[in-house]
Short mmCIF file of all heavy atoms in Angstrom, two decimals:
data_model
loop_
_atom_site.label_atom_id
_atom_site.label_comp_id
_atom_site.label_asym_id
_atom_site.label_seq_id
_atom_site.Cartn_x
_atom_site.Cartn_y
_atom_site.Cartn_z
N VAL A 184 -0.62 10.08 8.90
CA VAL A 184 -0.80 8.65 8.67
C VAL A 184 0.50 7.99 8.21
O VAL A 184 0.87 6.92 8.67
CB VAL A 184 -1.92 8.39 7.63
CG1 VAL A 184 -1.93 6.94 7.18
CG2 VAL A 184 -3.27 8.79 8.19
N ASN A 185 1.20 8.62 7.28
CA ASN A 185 2.35 7.98 6.64
C ASN A 185 3.67 8.16 7.38
O ASN A 185 4.64 7.49 7.07
CB ASN A 185 2.51 8.51 5.21
CG ASN A 185 1.36 8.07 4.34
OD1 ASN A 185 0.80 6.99 4.54
ND2 ASN A 185 0.98 8.90 3.40
N LEU A 186 3.68 9.08 8.34
CA LEU A 186 4.90 9.39 9.05
C LEU A 186 5.53 8.15 9.69
O LEU A 186 6.73 7.91 9.55
CB LEU A 186 4.59 10.43 10.13
CG LEU A 186 5.67 11.42 10.49
CD1 LEU A 186 6.26 12.04 9.27
CD2 LEU A 186 5.10 12.50 11.41
N GLY A 187 4.72 7.35 10.36
CA GLY A 187 5.22 6.19 11.08
C GLY A 187 5.95 5.22 10.17
O GLY A 187 7.05 4.75 10.49
N TYR A 188 5.36 4.96 9.02
CA TYR A 188 5.97 4.06 8.05
C TYR A 188 7.36 4.56 7.65
O TYR A 188 8.34 3.82 7.66
CB TYR A 188 5.06 3.95 6.83
CG TYR A 188 5.61 3.17 5.67
CD1 TYR A 188 5.59 1.77 5.70
CD2 TYR A 188 6.16 3.81 4.56
CE1 TYR A 188 6.10 1.04 4.64
CE2 TYR A 188 6.68 3.08 3.50
CZ TYR A 188 6.64 1.70 3.55
OH TYR A 188 7.14 0.99 2.51
N CYS A 189 7.45 5.85 7.32
CA CYS A 189 8.74 6.42 6.90
C CYS A 189 9.76 6.38 8.03
O CYS A 189 10.93 6.12 7.80
CB CYS A 189 8.55 7.85 6.41
SG CYS A 189 7.49 7.95 4.97
N ILE A 190 9.30 6.64 9.26
CA ILE A 190 10.22 6.62 10.40
C ILE A 190 10.83 5.23 10.57
O ILE A 190 12.04 5.08 10.74
CB ILE A 190 9.50 7.06 11.70
CG1 ILE A 190 9.17 8.55 11.63
CG2 ILE A 190 10.35 6.76 12.92
CD1 ILE A 190 8.30 9.04 12.76
N ILE A 191 9.98 4.20 10.50
CA ILE A 191 10.48 2.83 10.67
C ILE A 191 11.53 2.52 9.61
O ILE A 191 12.58 1.93 9.89
CB ILE A 191 9.32 1.81 10.55
CG1 ILE A 191 8.28 2.07 11.64
CG2 ILE A 191 9.84 0.39 10.60
CD1 ILE A 191 8.67 1.67 13.01
N ILE A 192 11.28 2.94 8.38
CA ILE A 192 12.21 2.63 7.30
C ILE A 192 13.51 3.41 7.47
O ILE A 192 14.60 2.86 7.28
CB ILE A 192 11.53 2.87 5.94
CG1 ILE A 192 10.49 1.77 5.78
CG2 ILE A 192 12.53 2.84 4.80
CD1 ILE A 192 9.83 1.70 4.48
N TYR A 193 13.41 4.67 7.87
CA TYR A 193 14.63 5.43 8.14
C TYR A 193 15.41 4.82 9.30
O TYR A 193 16.64 4.75 9.27
CB TYR A 193 14.30 6.90 8.45
CG TYR A 193 14.37 7.79 7.24
CD1 TYR A 193 13.35 8.69 6.95
CD2 TYR A 193 15.47 7.75 6.38
CE1 TYR A 193 13.42 9.52 5.83
CE2 TYR A 193 15.53 8.57 5.26
CZ TYR A 193 14.51 9.45 4.99
OH TYR A 193 14.58 10.26 3.90
N LEU A 194 14.69 4.38 10.34
CA LEU A 194 15.37 3.77 11.49
C LEU A 194 16.13 2.53 11.06
O LEU A 194 17.28 2.32 11.46
CB LEU A 194 14.35 3.41 12.58
CG LEU A 194 14.01 4.50 13.57
CD1 LEU A 194 12.87 4.04 14.48
CD2 LEU A 194 15.22 4.88 14.41
N ALA A 195 15.49 1.71 10.22
CA ALA A 195 16.17 0.51 9.73
C ALA A 195 17.42 0.91 8.96
O ALA A 195 18.47 0.27 9.09
CB ALA A 195 15.22 -0.29 8.84
N GLY A 196 17.32 1.97 8.17
CA GLY A 196 18.48 2.43 7.40
C GLY A 196 19.57 2.98 8.31
O GLY A 196 20.76 2.70 8.11
N LEU A 197 19.19 3.75 9.32
CA LEU A 197 20.17 4.34 10.24
C LEU A 197 20.97 3.25 10.95
O LEU A 197 22.15 3.42 11.23
CB LEU A 197 19.46 5.23 11.26
CG LEU A 197 19.03 6.61 10.76
CD1 LEU A 197 18.09 7.26 11.75
CD2 LEU A 197 20.24 7.50 10.52
N GLN A 198 20.29 2.13 11.22
CA GLN A 198 20.98 1.07 11.94
C GLN A 198 22.04 0.36 11.08
O GLN A 198 22.89 -0.34 11.61
CB GLN A 198 19.97 0.08 12.51
CG GLN A 198 19.81 0.29 14.02
CD GLN A 198 18.37 0.41 14.44
OE1 GLN A 198 17.54 -0.40 14.04
NE2 GLN A 198 18.05 1.42 15.23
N THR A 199 21.97 0.55 9.75
CA THR A 199 22.98 -0.10 8.91
C THR A 199 24.22 0.78 8.72
O THR A 199 25.20 0.35 8.15
CB THR A 199 22.42 -0.40 7.51
OG1 THR A 199 22.10 0.85 6.88
CG2 THR A 199 21.17 -1.27 7.57
N ILE A 200 24.16 2.04 9.22
CA ILE A 200 25.32 2.92 9.08
C ILE A 200 26.36 2.57 10.15
O ILE A 200 26.03 2.61 11.34
CB ILE A 200 24.91 4.41 9.21
CG1 ILE A 200 24.00 4.79 8.04
CG2 ILE A 200 26.15 5.31 9.24
CD1 ILE A 200 23.49 6.21 8.10
N PRO A 201 27.58 2.20 9.74
CA PRO A 201 28.58 1.82 10.74
C PRO A 201 28.90 2.98 11.67
O PRO A 201 29.16 4.10 11.21
CB PRO A 201 29.81 1.46 9.90
CG PRO A 201 29.30 1.28 8.51
CD PRO A 201 28.10 2.15 8.38
N GLN A 202 28.85 2.71 12.97
CA GLN A 202 29.07 3.74 13.98
C GLN A 202 30.48 4.35 13.86
O GLN A 202 30.70 5.50 14.19
CB GLN A 202 28.84 3.13 15.37
CG GLN A 202 28.42 4.12 16.45
CD GLN A 202 27.22 4.97 16.04
OE1 GLN A 202 26.24 4.46 15.51
NE2 GLN A 202 27.31 6.28 16.28
N GLU A 203 31.43 3.53 13.31
CA GLU A 203 32.82 3.99 13.21
C GLU A 203 32.95 5.24 12.34
O GLU A 203 33.76 6.11 12.60
CB GLU A 203 33.74 2.91 12.63
CG GLU A 203 33.86 1.64 13.46
CD GLU A 203 32.77 0.63 13.12
OE1 GLU A 203 32.78 0.10 12.00
OE2 GLU A 203 31.90 0.40 13.97
N TYR A 204 32.13 5.31 11.29
CA TYR A 204 32.18 6.47 10.39
C TYR A 204 31.95 7.76 11.17
O TYR A 204 32.68 8.73 11.05
CB TYR A 204 31.10 6.38 9.31
CG TYR A 204 31.35 5.33 8.25
CD1 TYR A 204 32.33 4.36 8.41
CD2 TYR A 204 30.58 5.32 7.09
CE1 TYR A 204 32.53 3.39 7.44
CE2 TYR A 204 30.79 4.36 6.12
CZ TYR A 204 31.76 3.39 6.30
OH TYR A 204 31.94 2.45 5.35
N ILE A 205 30.88 7.72 11.99
CA ILE A 205 30.53 8.91 12.75
C ILE A 205 31.63 9.22 13.76
O ILE A 205 32.04 10.37 13.93
CB ILE A 205 29.18 8.70 13.50
CG1 ILE A 205 28.12 8.09 12.58
CG2 ILE A 205 28.70 9.98 14.17
CD1 ILE A 205 27.37 9.03 11.70
N GLU A 206 32.12 8.16 14.43
CA GLU A 206 33.17 8.36 15.44
C GLU A 206 34.44 8.92 14.82
O GLU A 206 35.05 9.84 15.36
CB GLU A 206 33.46 7.03 16.16
CG GLU A 206 32.41 6.70 17.21
CD GLU A 206 32.46 5.25 17.65
OE1 GLU A 206 33.44 4.56 17.33
OE2 GLU A 206 31.49 4.81 18.30
N ALA A 207 34.81 8.37 13.66
CA ALA A 207 36.00 8.85 12.96
C ALA A 207 35.87 10.34 12.64
O ALA A 207 36.80 11.12 12.82
CB ALA A 207 36.22 8.06 11.68
N ALA A 208 34.66 10.73 12.18
CA ALA A 208 34.43 12.13 11.84
C ALA A 208 34.55 13.00 13.08
O ALA A 208 35.11 14.09 13.03
CB ALA A 208 33.06 12.28 11.20
N GLU A 209 34.04 12.48 14.20
CA GLU A 209 34.10 13.26 15.44
C GLU A 209 35.55 13.48 15.88
O GLU A 209 35.92 14.56 16.32
CB GLU A 209 33.33 12.54 16.55
CG GLU A 209 31.88 13.00 16.62
CD GLU A 209 31.02 12.09 17.48
OE1 GLU A 209 31.58 11.40 18.36
OE2 GLU A 209 29.80 12.08 17.24
N ILE A 210 36.36 12.42 15.70
CA ILE A 210 37.79 12.54 16.07
C ILE A 210 38.43 13.61 15.19
O ILE A 210 39.25 14.40 15.65
CB ILE A 210 38.50 11.18 15.91
CG1 ILE A 210 37.97 10.23 17.00
CG2 ILE A 210 40.03 11.32 16.04
CD1 ILE A 210 38.32 8.78 16.80
N ASP A 211 38.02 13.65 13.92
CA ASP A 211 38.57 14.66 13.02
C ASP A 211 38.00 16.05 13.27
O ASP A 211 38.29 16.99 12.54
CB ASP A 211 38.32 14.28 11.55
CG ASP A 211 39.14 13.07 11.15
OD1 ASP A 211 40.10 12.75 11.89
OD2 ASP A 211 38.82 12.45 10.12
N GLY A 212 37.15 16.16 14.27
CA GLY A 212 36.65 17.47 14.67
C GLY A 212 35.37 17.92 13.98
O GLY A 212 35.06 19.11 13.98
N ALA A 213 34.62 16.97 13.41
CA ALA A 213 33.36 17.36 12.75
C ALA A 213 32.28 17.58 13.81
O ALA A 213 32.23 16.85 14.81
CB ALA A 213 32.93 16.28 11.78
N THR A 214 31.44 18.59 13.59
CA THR A 214 30.32 18.79 14.49
C THR A 214 29.25 17.75 14.14
O THR A 214 29.30 17.13 13.07
CB THR A 214 29.71 20.19 14.31
OG1 THR A 214 29.24 20.29 12.97
CG2 THR A 214 30.73 21.27 14.60
N SER A 215 28.27 17.57 15.03
CA SER A 215 27.24 16.56 14.76
C SER A 215 26.42 16.99 13.54
O SER A 215 25.93 16.16 12.78
CB SER A 215 26.35 16.37 15.98
OG SER A 215 25.69 17.57 16.28
N ARG A 216 26.31 18.31 13.36
CA ARG A 216 25.63 18.83 12.19
C ARG A 216 26.36 18.45 10.91
O ARG A 216 25.76 17.97 9.95
CB ARG A 216 25.61 20.35 12.32
CG ARG A 216 24.47 21.05 11.67
CD ARG A 216 24.82 22.54 11.69
NE ARG A 216 24.41 23.13 10.45
CZ ARG A 216 23.32 23.89 10.34
NH1 ARG A 216 22.59 24.13 11.39
NH2 ARG A 216 22.99 24.40 9.18
N GLN A 217 27.70 18.63 10.94
CA GLN A 217 28.49 18.28 9.76
C GLN A 217 28.41 16.78 9.47
O GLN A 217 28.25 16.37 8.33
CB GLN A 217 29.96 18.67 9.97
CG GLN A 217 30.20 20.15 9.72
CD GLN A 217 31.58 20.58 10.14
OE1 GLN A 217 32.14 20.06 11.11
NE2 GLN A 217 32.15 21.53 9.43
N SER A 218 28.54 15.96 10.51
CA SER A 218 28.53 14.52 10.25
C SER A 218 27.15 14.07 9.76
O SER A 218 27.04 13.13 8.99
CB SER A 218 28.98 13.72 11.47
OG SER A 218 28.03 13.79 12.49
N PHE A 219 26.09 14.77 10.17
CA PHE A 219 24.77 14.43 9.66
C PHE A 219 24.68 14.71 8.15
O PHE A 219 24.27 13.86 7.37
CB PHE A 219 23.67 15.19 10.41
CG PHE A 219 22.29 14.99 9.83
CD1 PHE A 219 21.60 13.82 10.08
CD2 PHE A 219 21.72 15.96 9.03
CE1 PHE A 219 20.34 13.61 9.53
CE2 PHE A 219 20.46 15.76 8.48
CZ PHE A 219 19.78 14.59 8.73
N PHE A 220 25.11 15.92 7.76
CA PHE A 220 24.96 16.30 6.36
C PHE A 220 26.00 15.64 5.45
O PHE A 220 25.76 15.45 4.27
CB PHE A 220 25.00 17.83 6.20
CG PHE A 220 23.69 18.47 6.58
CD1 PHE A 220 23.56 19.15 7.78
CD2 PHE A 220 22.59 18.35 5.74
CE1 PHE A 220 22.33 19.72 8.14
CE2 PHE A 220 21.38 18.92 6.09
CZ PHE A 220 21.25 19.61 7.30
N LYS A 221 27.19 15.34 6.01
CA LYS A 221 28.25 14.79 5.16
C LYS A 221 28.28 13.26 5.17
O LYS A 221 28.79 12.64 4.25
CB LYS A 221 29.61 15.34 5.62
CG LYS A 221 29.78 16.83 5.40
CD LYS A 221 30.30 17.10 4.02
CE LYS A 221 30.72 18.51 3.78
NZ LYS A 221 29.90 19.60 3.63
N ILE A 222 27.78 12.64 6.24
CA ILE A 222 27.87 11.17 6.31
C ILE A 222 26.49 10.52 6.31
O ILE A 222 26.15 9.75 5.42
CB ILE A 222 28.66 10.73 7.57
CG1 ILE A 222 30.09 11.28 7.51
CG2 ILE A 222 28.68 9.20 7.65
CD1 ILE A 222 30.84 11.15 8.80
N THR A 223 25.67 10.86 7.33
CA THR A 223 24.40 10.17 7.48
C THR A 223 23.50 10.38 6.26
O THR A 223 23.02 9.41 5.66
CB THR A 223 23.68 10.66 8.75
OG1 THR A 223 24.62 10.67 9.82
CG2 THR A 223 22.52 9.78 9.09
N LEU A 224 23.29 11.62 5.90
CA LEU A 224 22.35 11.93 4.82
C LEU A 224 22.73 11.26 3.49
O LEU A 224 21.89 10.61 2.86
CB LEU A 224 22.22 13.45 4.68
CG LEU A 224 20.94 13.95 4.01
CD1 LEU A 224 19.71 13.45 4.74
CD2 LEU A 224 20.94 15.47 3.96
N PRO A 225 24.01 11.39 3.05
CA PRO A 225 24.38 10.71 1.80
C PRO A 225 24.20 9.19 1.88
O PRO A 225 23.78 8.56 0.91
CB PRO A 225 25.85 11.07 1.62
CG PRO A 225 26.06 12.30 2.41
CD PRO A 225 25.12 12.21 3.55
N LEU A 226 24.51 8.60 3.04
CA LEU A 226 24.37 7.15 3.16
C LEU A 226 22.90 6.73 3.14
O LEU A 226 22.57 5.61 2.78
CB LEU A 226 25.06 6.63 4.42
CG LEU A 226 26.59 6.57 4.37
CD1 LEU A 226 27.16 6.19 5.73
CD2 LEU A 226 27.04 5.57 3.31
N LEU A 227 22.03 7.62 3.56
CA LEU A 227 20.59 7.30 3.55
C LEU A 227 19.96 7.57 2.19
O LEU A 227 18.77 7.34 2.01
CB LEU A 227 19.86 8.12 4.62
CG LEU A 227 20.07 7.73 6.08
CD1 LEU A 227 19.34 8.70 6.99
CD2 LEU A 227 19.60 6.32 6.35
N ASN A 228 20.75 8.07 1.26
CA ASN A 228 20.22 8.47 -0.03
C ASN A 228 19.31 7.45 -0.71
O ASN A 228 18.19 7.79 -1.11
CB ASN A 228 21.39 8.85 -0.95
CG ASN A 228 21.01 10.01 -1.83
OD1 ASN A 228 19.95 10.59 -1.65
ND2 ASN A 228 21.88 10.33 -2.77
N PRO A 229 19.74 6.18 -0.81
CA PRO A 229 18.88 5.20 -1.48
C PRO A 229 17.52 5.08 -0.79
O PRO A 229 16.49 4.94 -1.45
CB PRO A 229 19.65 3.89 -1.36
CG PRO A 229 21.03 4.24 -1.00
CD PRO A 229 21.01 5.59 -0.38
N ILE A 230 17.53 5.15 0.55
CA ILE A 230 16.27 5.03 1.29
C ILE A 230 15.40 6.25 1.04
O ILE A 230 14.19 6.14 0.86
CB ILE A 230 16.56 4.84 2.80
CG1 ILE A 230 17.23 3.49 2.99
CG2 ILE A 230 15.30 4.96 3.62
CD1 ILE A 230 17.65 3.18 4.38
N THR A 231 16.03 7.43 1.00
CA THR A 231 15.25 8.64 0.73
C THR A 231 14.60 8.54 -0.65
O THR A 231 13.40 8.84 -0.80
CB THR A 231 16.15 9.88 0.81
OG1 THR A 231 16.83 9.85 2.06
CG2 THR A 231 15.35 11.15 0.69
N VAL A 232 15.36 8.07 -1.64
CA VAL A 232 14.78 7.93 -2.98
C VAL A 232 13.60 6.96 -2.94
O VAL A 232 12.52 7.24 -3.47
CB VAL A 232 15.85 7.45 -4.00
CG1 VAL A 232 15.21 7.15 -5.34
CG2 VAL A 232 16.93 8.49 -4.15
N PHE A 233 13.81 5.83 -2.27
CA PHE A 233 12.73 4.83 -2.17
C PHE A 233 11.49 5.45 -1.54
O PHE A 233 10.37 5.30 -2.04
CB PHE A 233 13.21 3.64 -1.34
CG PHE A 233 12.10 2.70 -0.93
CD1 PHE A 233 11.61 1.76 -1.81
CD2 PHE A 233 11.53 2.78 0.34
CE1 PHE A 233 10.58 0.91 -1.45
CE2 PHE A 233 10.50 1.94 0.72
CZ PHE A 233 10.02 1.00 -0.17
N LEU A 234 11.69 6.20 -0.44
CA LEU A 234 10.54 6.78 0.25
C LEU A 234 9.87 7.86 -0.58
O LEU A 234 8.64 7.96 -0.62
CB LEU A 234 10.96 7.34 1.62
CG LEU A 234 11.16 6.30 2.72
CD1 LEU A 234 11.60 6.98 4.00
CD2 LEU A 234 9.89 5.51 2.96
N VAL A 235 10.67 8.68 -1.25
CA VAL A 235 10.07 9.74 -2.08
C VAL A 235 9.18 9.11 -3.15
O VAL A 235 8.06 9.54 -3.37
CB VAL A 235 11.17 10.63 -2.73
CG1 VAL A 235 10.57 11.52 -3.80
CG2 VAL A 235 11.85 11.48 -1.67
N VAL A 236 9.67 8.04 -3.76
CA VAL A 236 8.89 7.40 -4.82
C VAL A 236 7.63 6.73 -4.27
O VAL A 236 6.52 6.99 -4.74
CB VAL A 236 9.75 6.38 -5.59
CG1 VAL A 236 8.89 5.58 -6.54
CG2 VAL A 236 10.83 7.12 -6.35
N THR A 237 7.78 5.88 -3.23
CA THR A 237 6.60 5.18 -2.73
C THR A 237 5.59 6.16 -2.14
O THR A 237 4.39 6.01 -2.33
CB THR A 237 6.96 4.11 -1.68
OG1 THR A 237 7.82 4.71 -0.70
CG2 THR A 237 7.68 2.93 -2.31
N GLN A 238 6.08 7.21 -1.46
CA GLN A 238 5.16 8.18 -0.89
C GLN A 238 4.49 9.01 -1.99
O GLN A 238 3.32 9.37 -1.87
CB GLN A 238 5.88 9.10 0.11
CG GLN A 238 6.27 8.40 1.41
CD GLN A 238 5.06 7.90 2.18
OE1 GLN A 238 4.15 8.66 2.49
NE2 GLN A 238 5.03 6.62 2.48
N SER A 239 5.22 9.33 -3.05
CA SER A 239 4.60 10.06 -4.15
C SER A 239 3.44 9.26 -4.72
O SER A 239 2.38 9.80 -5.02
CB SER A 239 5.60 10.32 -5.27
OG SER A 239 6.68 11.04 -4.79
N ILE A 240 3.66 7.94 -4.86
CA ILE A 240 2.59 7.10 -5.40
C ILE A 240 1.41 7.11 -4.42
O ILE A 240 0.26 7.23 -4.84
CB ILE A 240 3.12 5.68 -5.69
CG1 ILE A 240 4.15 5.75 -6.82
CG2 ILE A 240 1.99 4.73 -6.05
CD1 ILE A 240 4.89 4.47 -7.12
N THR A 241 1.71 7.02 -3.12
CA THR A 241 0.63 7.07 -2.13
C THR A 241 -0.16 8.38 -2.24
O THR A 241 -1.39 8.38 -2.21
CB THR A 241 1.21 6.96 -0.70
OG1 THR A 241 2.05 5.81 -0.66
CG2 THR A 241 0.13 6.84 0.35
N PHE A 242 0.55 9.50 -2.37
CA PHE A 242 -0.14 10.79 -2.46
C PHE A 242 -0.87 10.96 -3.80
O PHE A 242 -1.90 11.61 -3.87
CB PHE A 242 0.84 11.96 -2.21
CG PHE A 242 1.06 12.26 -0.75
CD1 PHE A 242 2.00 11.57 0.00
CD2 PHE A 242 0.31 13.24 -0.10
CE1 PHE A 242 2.19 11.83 1.35
CE2 PHE A 242 0.49 13.52 1.25
CZ PHE A 242 1.44 12.81 1.97
N LEU A 243 -0.32 10.36 -4.86
CA LEU A 243 -1.01 10.41 -6.17
C LEU A 243 -2.34 9.66 -6.11
O LEU A 243 -3.28 9.98 -6.82
CB LEU A 243 -0.16 9.76 -7.25
CG LEU A 243 0.95 10.56 -7.91
CD1 LEU A 243 1.73 9.67 -8.87
CD2 LEU A 243 0.37 11.74 -8.67
N ARG A 244 -2.39 8.62 -5.25
CA ARG A 244 -3.58 7.76 -5.20
C ARG A 244 -4.53 8.15 -4.08
O ARG A 244 -5.45 7.41 -3.75
CB ARG A 244 -3.14 6.31 -5.03
CG ARG A 244 -2.35 5.80 -6.21
CD ARG A 244 -1.84 4.41 -5.98
NE ARG A 244 -2.92 3.49 -5.68
CZ ARG A 244 -2.75 2.27 -5.19
NH1 ARG A 244 -1.57 1.82 -4.95
NH2 ARG A 244 -3.79 1.51 -4.96
N ILE A 245 -4.34 9.32 -3.50
CA ILE A 245 -5.16 9.78 -2.38
C ILE A 245 -6.65 9.69 -2.74
O ILE A 245 -7.05 10.06 -3.84
CB ILE A 245 -4.73 11.22 -2.03
CG1 ILE A 245 -4.68 11.44 -0.54
CG2 ILE A 245 -5.63 12.26 -2.65
CD1 ILE A 245 -3.91 12.71 -0.17
#
Side-chain angles (χ1 to χ4, degrees):
Chain A
V184 169
N185 292 328
L186 211 49
Y188 174 79
C189 297
I190 290 172
I191 299 287
I192 289 188
Y193 266 132
L194 273 173
L197 282 168
Q198 256 130 48
T199 64
I200 295 178
Q202 206 52 46
E203 297 87 67
Y204 288 12
I205 314 276
E206 282 164 12
E209 268 166 24
I210 291 166
D211 291 343
T214 61
S215 62
R216 208 191 141 104
Q217 279 171 327
S218 69
F219 174 77
F220 282 104
K221 293 274 190 287
I222 299 168
T223 313
L224 203 57
L226 285 174
L227 287 177
N228 216 7
I230 293 177
T231 307
V232 173
F233 168 80
L234 283 179
V235 168
V236 171
T237 49
Q238 289 298 305
S239 302
I240 294 173
T241 308
F242 276 85
L243 278 176
R244 296 175 57 193
I245 221 165

